[in-house]
Amino acid sequence: MEVLNNEIELIDALKDPNFKDQAFKTLLQNYQERLYWHIRKIVLLHEDANDVLQNTFIKIYKGIHTFNNNSALHTWMYRIAYNESMNFLVDKNKKKFITSEEISTKIIQNLEEDVYFDGDEIKLKLHKALLELPEKQRQVFHMKYFDELKFREISEILGTSEGALKASYHIAVKKIQEFVIEN
C-alpha cells in the first residue's frame, strides 16, 4: 500500500477490509506516541498508560467503521483515549476503596519514584499543582497546555462548550500559578 496522503485516504483505507491492517499500522505510526502522552498525563504511570493505550487502539480498530467524519480523526481518537483513561481510573479507584486525597499522595509518590519521569523539581511541582485541581480543569489544562489542542477540539472530546473550557483553563492557570508561588 502506498503512503497515504491525507486523513480522508487513511479513514477510507481503515474502513476497507482489504487495506484495514496496513492502514492501521500507519495510524499507529502517526498517533501512538501522541496518544500515549495524552493518556500518560491522565493516568500518570507508565505501565497504566501502556495498558490504556492498548485498550484505546483496540477500540479504535474495532470501532473505525462507526467514525462518521463529524470531527477530525485525531479528535475522535483523543475522545476514545480520554474515555478509556477515565474508565481506567474509576475502575482502579473502585478496587482500592481509597479517597481522592490518598490517590493524589500516592500519585506524587509514584512520580517521584518513577524511572520514566524525567522531570526536575519545577515539573514535579507542576504535577502537584495539577493534582490539586478539579478533574475537569486538570483535563482541560492538559489538553490545551501539553497536547496543544484547540478549544474547539477539546470541546469535541469532552462534549463541553468552548466558552466553558476557556473559563476552566484560565481558572486552572490561575490556581497553578498560586500553588507554585505558595509552595
Side-chain angles (χ1 to χ4, degrees):
M1 174 185 222
E2 62 188 60
V3 177
L4 300 171
N5 294 327
N6 62 43
E7 191 172 278
I8 294 170
E9 290 178 10
L10 179 59
I11 294 166
D12 289 343
L14 285 164
K15 290 182 177 185
D16 185 334
N18 296 320
F19 299 108
K20 185 174 185 175
D21 290 340
Q22 184 61 36
F24 193 74
K25 287 178 186 175
T26 301
L27 183 85
L28 280 171
Q29 290 171 340
N30 292 343
Y31 293 100
Q32 185 170 10
E33 186 174 345
R34 286 190 281 181
L35 284 177
Y36 167 83
W37 286 109
H38 173 68
I39 292 166
R40 175 81 186 265
K41 289 175 189 99
I42 298 170
V43 301
L44 296 179
L45 299 178
H46 170 72
E47 294 79 14
D48 294 343
N50 276 338
D51 291 344
V52 174
L53 181 65
Q54 183 176 4
N55 291 340
T56 298
F57 276 111
I58 289 169
K59 286 220 171 171
I60 291 168
Y61 185 84
K62 289 181 176 179
I64 191 65
H65 65 280
T66 65
F67 178 72
N68 55 17
N69 293 355
N70 286 341
S71 63
L73 179 62
H74 75 275
T75 304
W76 180 73
M77 292 188 309
Y78 268 77
R79 185 178 15 208
I80 292 171
Y82 174 78
N83 290 338
E84 284 297 302
S85 299
M86 298 310 294
N87 290 338
F88 173 83
L89 290 176
V90 167
D91 290 345
K92 184 176 180 179
N93 295 333
K94 277 183 185 176
K95 292 175 186 172
K96 292 186 177 183
F97 301 107
I98 55 178
T99 67
S100 60
E101 207 170 273
E102 291 171 318
I103 293 167
S104 295
T105 302
K106 183 69 174 161
I107 288 171
I108 292 299
Q109 181 182 358
N110 287 342
L111 268 179
E112 291 171 340
E113 297 169 358
D114 188 351
V115 295
Y116 294 102
F117 181 69
D118 61 356
D120 53 19
E121 188 175 332
I122 192 69
K123 285 184 183 176
L124 188 59
K125 193 178 276 192
L126 174 62
H127 282 288
K128 287 179 180 179
L130 288 170
L131 288 171
E132 296 289 320
L133 296 175
E135 182 64 33
K136 184 167 186 172
Q137 288 175 8
R138 182 171 49 244
Q139 295 312 318
V140 171
F141 184 85
H142 275 292
M143 290 183 207
K144 181 68 179 157
Y145 182 79
F146 291 115
D147 296 333
E148 299 177 352
L149 295 174
K150 294 175 177 63
F151 283 113
R152 177 186 48 75
E153 295 169 318
I154 299 169
S155 173
E156 292 175 17
I157 293 167
L158 298 179
T160 306
S161 74
E162 288 183 48
L165 293 172
K166 288 176 183 177
S168 290
Y169 179 76
H170 292 293
I171 292 168
V173 168
K174 187 172 244 177
K175 287 180 179 178
I176 290 167
Q177 288 171 338
E178 290 171 2
F179 182 90
V180 170
I181 290 169
E182 293 172 7
N183 296 292

